[in-house]
Amino acid sequence: MRYPVLLFLILVVSCSLPRPTSWQPERVSFIAREGMVSFRVSYPGGNFGGEGFFIAGKSFFYLEGLSPFGSTLFQGMLEDNRALLVSFLERRAYLLSLPFPGEISSYWGTILMGYLPPPWLEGALILENPKGYLLKKEIPPFRVMVSFDRAGNLKALTIKEDRTLWRLFFAPGKTRFEIPPLRVRGEMSFHTTKELFSPAKPKIVIPEGFSRLSWEIQK
């Protein structure tokens, strides 16, 4: 009796294992978007959240919060190998250094808005499983894994080396993120977004006298 049961279990497991496929997600060219976003972030020292105006270009993500009286409460920018947040209420600047190569750090706006950078399809391995598809891309010394549903919509994205460094989860109008080495996690909910064709990238200047706190994601 145990042999038919064992054969059945082997069959079920083999059917659920991912296997190579010729399917590829559609190449979508992301330009830029802007709108309002509400967010919340938790970290070992506490948590914060709010609402702000955002601009997502292909390579950057900018966030700005305004008071009811029109004064700037904070500005944030994720671009290249740095995330910067300037809090005018606290008179502080928070800087996070990222270890990622240009093939990742040149597409922050694209990624956070739930789009796949087209160059990632080159030389990638795409596997099929019962829930959809999994793309594996080697960007030395990192590995990128992206999961899709059957319609080709991004569901999750993971960047790792020896351990997971950055994890993103996507749903309609929402992006969740985790930075395991720093025990940071957060969620962004996008509202009233519209497409931009000639995005102007804002500039952030840390005012003189502001204190600076810095972190670095260790590989």
Side-chain angles (χ1 to χ4, degrees):
M1 181 64 184
R2 67 176 181 271
Y3 294 108
V5 173
L6 180 61
L7 182 60
F8 174 75
L9 291 175
I10 293 175
L11 180 62
V12 170
V13 171
S14 64
C15 290
S16 63
L17 291 175
R19 54 188 181 275
T21 177
S22 59
W23 176 89
Q24 282 203 344
E26 181 183 355
R27 292 175 181 263
V28 178
S29 296
F30 173 75
I31 301 174
R33 298 194 72 84
E34 70 173 2
M36 298 298 295
V37 59
S38 56
F39 63 91
R40 56 182 177 84
V41 179
S42 63
Y43 58 99
N47 58 77
F48 65 92
E51 186 175 81
F53 168 78
F54 79 90
I55 299 177
K58 181 186 76 171
S59 61
F60 70 90
F61 186 89
Y62 172 79
L63 178 65
E64 179 177 322
L66 298 176
S67 75
F69 306 103
S71 60
T72 302
L73 299 176
F74 61 84
Q75 288 179 297
M77 178 77 81
L78 176 58
E79 184 182 24
D80 296 328
N81 283 319
R82 187 178 77 163
L84 169 65
L85 176 68
V86 177
S87 172
F88 293 92
L89 289 177
E90 298 177 299
R91 296 180 60 83
R92 281 184 176 180
Y94 301 88
L95 299 95
L96 173 62
S97 296
L98 309 168
F100 306 126
E103 200 169 349
I104 295 174
S105 61
S106 295
Y107 294 98
W108 285 123
T110 304
I111 293 169
L112 287 179
M113 296 305 296
Y115 291 80
L116 181 73
W120 288 13
L121 290 172
E122 303 297 331
L125 173 65
I126 301 179
L127 303 173
E128 183 178 11
N129 59 41
K131 293 184 178 180
Y133 303 92
L134 176 66
L135 178 147
K136 293 185 176 182
K137 172 76 173 180
E138 296 290 332
I139 304 179
F142 304 99
R143 297 185 302 280
V144 174
M145 292 174 288
V146 187
S147 63
F148 304 84
D149 62 18
R150 291 287 175 181
N153 301 307
L154 269 66
K155 304 300 291 182
L157 185 152
T158 300
I159 302 171
K160 63 187 305 180
E161 193 186 29
D162 293 330
R163 58 175 175 164
T164 297
L165 302 177
W166 197 290
R167 189 182 291 120
L168 292 159
F169 303 93
F170 305 97
K174 288 187 179 182
T175 299
R176 290 191 298 115
F177 62 89
E178 297 176 358
I179 309 176
L182 301 180
R183 292 181 292 164
V184 171
R185 62 179 57 196
E187 178 177 291
M188 296 185 291
S189 298
F190 298 99
H191 315 289
T192 62
T193 66
K194 67 178 183 179
E195 193 168 22
L196 291 176
F197 294 96
S198 299
K201 183 175 66 176
K203 184 177 181 180
I204 300 180
V205 177
I206 302 175
E208 185 176 350
F210 276 37
S211 59
R212 304 186 184 208
L213 300 176
S214 300
W215 296 269
E216 181 178 359
I217 295 182
Q218 298 292 333
K219 294 188 290 181

